[in-house]
Amino acid sequence: MATSDKASPLAFLQSNPVLSSLSDVYKAFSDRRASLGLSNPGSVENVGKEVQRDVFLNNYMFAGLKADLTKAFSLNPLFQVSHQFAMGERLNPYTFAAMYGTSKVFLQGNVDNDGNLSTRFNYRWGASTVSKTQFQISPGGSQDMAQFEHEYTGSDFTASLKAINPSFLDGGVTGIFIGHYLQSVTPKLSLGLETVWQRVGLSQGPEANVSYVGKYKSDDWIATAQLQPQGALNTSYWRKLSDSVQAGVDMTLTIVPAASGMMGGLSFQKEGLTTFGAKYDFRMSTFRAQIDSKGKLSCLLEKRVAAPVTMTFAADVDHFSQQAKIGVGISIEANDESLQEQQEALGPNASPNIPF
């Protein structure tokens, strides 16, 4: 019995000499790119996280008293709730938080005694693609915020697109739209950029700017630089001194316009801030300290006094303004024996790879 093969509707693409040449060029480029052995450089937002988040204590500092009580109900999937009671500067008297996470889904919600609600929802579509949403609702409505982000993590690059308070309902586009791209160009050097387009209202024109980012990662040190619009320059340097000691420095230089002299002309004034910090990890505690060029000294000590109890002591002194702040906190993890049994049963899979 005779059979006849029907040509594919897209067969002409394979025989097209132009497309075939482009395909060969792309394949040669991909092979050359793979032979360099490049790794993923991380994201633009986290380009200086070793200094800003790991060493410096800006994200941990507080003034006053606070107590955190956390109860975990499950490890995989992760589910826990926490209560925070606080008294002090910029601290809410009570905050309730809940968290749920699997290898694909991450959910987090916080609500305080004033009714301010903030939520996060992340979903991992695949090994390289994550969508992130964040909402913030306040009783007065003045601080309401909606944020949508989609991130793609390649073998040697990371790209993301973020929209903050986007709106298409008034006959035009308003909001803030941010695009990030960071590419490894050598095994140690990464280059990228950040583009921002924003429009507050239809009565105002849109604004756009571009920032350029560079990162150099060695075996035990990392240097970064970011050139922002209007001539602002931010650089950071992180170094691992030993297994338990890290140090970092961050410098920001800004050129701002200022009125000059009797002629009423315009001149430019340089403003800068340099911060030095160090982090010490001990067996049962972590100590962070930093000092900046404006004379502000800060330190923070986190010490685990028992298996479920951690004490936190924070203090900063501003020598120029002659002000001092002190914070004391306690964190209690109220976990029962069933969680330990669950962790032993799950083994290495006890903690899911949550898309934070």
Side-chain angles (χ1 to χ4, degrees):
M1 180 171 139
T3 59
S4 60
D5 296 335
K6 293 184 178 179
S8 171
L10 301 179
F12 74 96
L13 295 177
Q14 301 176 356
S15 59
N16 189 294
V18 176
L19 296 178
S20 178
S21 299
L22 292 176
S23 178
D24 293 341
V25 171
Y26 177 76
K27 185 177 184 303
F29 174 77
S30 299
D31 295 340
R32 174 60 179 170
R33 185 172 168 182
S35 65
L36 296 176
L38 303 178
S39 60
N40 184 273
S43 63
V44 172
E45 288 184 324
N46 296 326
V47 71
K49 72 178 185 66
E50 289 81 8
V51 174
Q52 296 293 340
R53 300 184 184 180
D54 295 344
V55 175
F56 288 177
L57 50 90
N58 300 331
N59 296 332
Y60 307 93
M61 195 65 196
F62 66 96
L65 303 174
K66 71 174 184 177
D68 294 279
L69 177 61
T70 303
K71 170 67 174 179
F73 296 92
S74 175
L75 294 177
N76 194 355
L78 175 66
F79 177 59
Q80 68 179 36
V81 298
S82 65
H83 307 266
Q84 183 184 89
F85 305 89
M87 179 178 62
E89 182 181 356
R90 294 192 298 272
L91 293 176
N92 295 312
Y94 174 73
T95 302
F96 172 79
M99 180 190 300
Y100 175 84
T102 68
S103 59
K104 283 187 171 292
V105 176
F106 171 67
L107 293 166
Q108 184 182 35
N110 301 274
V111 61
D112 60 25
N113 56 286
D114 293 329
N116 297 306
L117 174 66
S118 62
T119 63
R120 293 176 59 194
F121 172 66
N122 300 349
Y123 185 81
R124 176 180 282 122
W125 301 92
S128 304
T129 308
V130 177
S131 294
K132 304 177 182 181
T133 60
Q134 184 175 347
F135 298 96
Q136 181 174 324
I137 302 175
S138 60
S142 59
Q143 298 181 353
D144 293 352
M145 186 268 292
Q147 177 178 302
F148 306 92
E149 182 179 1
H150 190 73
E151 182 179 83
Y152 183 85
T153 304
S155 59
D156 58 0
F157 73 95
T158 299
S160 67
L161 180 63
K162 181 187 301 184
I164 303 175
N165 290 337
S167 177
F168 309 91
L169 303 178
D170 299 329
V173 180
T174 58
I176 303 175
F177 299 87
I178 305 173
H180 293 145
Y181 185 83
L182 187 61
Q183 171 73 57
S184 294
V185 294
T186 70
K188 295 184 177 181
L189 178 63
S190 305
L191 300 176
L193 54 83
E194 176 188 72
T195 59
V196 179
W197 186 95
Q198 61 179 345
R199 190 176 188 180
V200 179
L202 295 179
S203 59
Q204 303 179 16
E207 299 179 3
N209 53 65
V210 180
S211 302
Y212 302 94
V213 179
K215 177 180 180 181
Y216 189 89
K217 182 177 181 180
S218 185
D219 296 334
D220 58 353
W221 61 271
I222 298 174
T224 67
Q226 183 172 7
L227 180 60
Q228 302 172 351
Q230 289 82 43
L233 176 64
N234 176 261
T235 61
S236 68
Y237 177 79
W238 171 89
R239 189 177 185 89
K240 185 176 183 180
L241 302 178
S242 68
D243 293 338
S244 58
V245 182
Q246 305 175 35
V249 58
D250 181 90
M251 184 191 71
T252 301
L253 178 63
T254 307
I255 301 177
V256 297
S260 64
M262 301 175 58
M263 302 298 294
L266 185 65
S267 64
F268 293 93
Q269 180 180 355
K270 298 179 182 179
E271 296 181 357
L273 178 66
T274 302
T275 306
F276 298 89
K279 175 186 177 183
Y280 299 83
D281 290 317
F282 303 98
R283 188 175 67 88
M284 297 290 289
S285 61
T286 299
F287 178 74
R288 292 180 173 90
Q290 70 181 47
I291 185 171
D292 61 30
S293 56
K294 293 186 177 181
K296 185 176 181 180
L297 173 65
S298 306
C299 61
L300 183 139
L301 173 65
E302 295 175 306
K303 181 174 179 60
R304 184 172 292 275
V305 296
V309 181
T310 301
M311 294 293 298
T312 303
F313 304 92
D316 69 48
V317 179
D318 193 333
H319 292 86
F320 288 176
S321 62
Q322 297 183 355
Q323 294 182 353
K325 300 178 182 178
I326 298 177
V328 178
I330 182 172
S331 177
I332 302 176
E333 300 176 1
N335 301 330
D336 50 30
E337 296 180 356
S338 61
L339 287 180
Q340 186 175 357
E341 296 175 355
Q342 182 181 359
Q343 184 176 10
E344 294 176 354
L346 293 172
N349 299 322
S351 300
N353 185 19
I354 301 175
F356 290 110

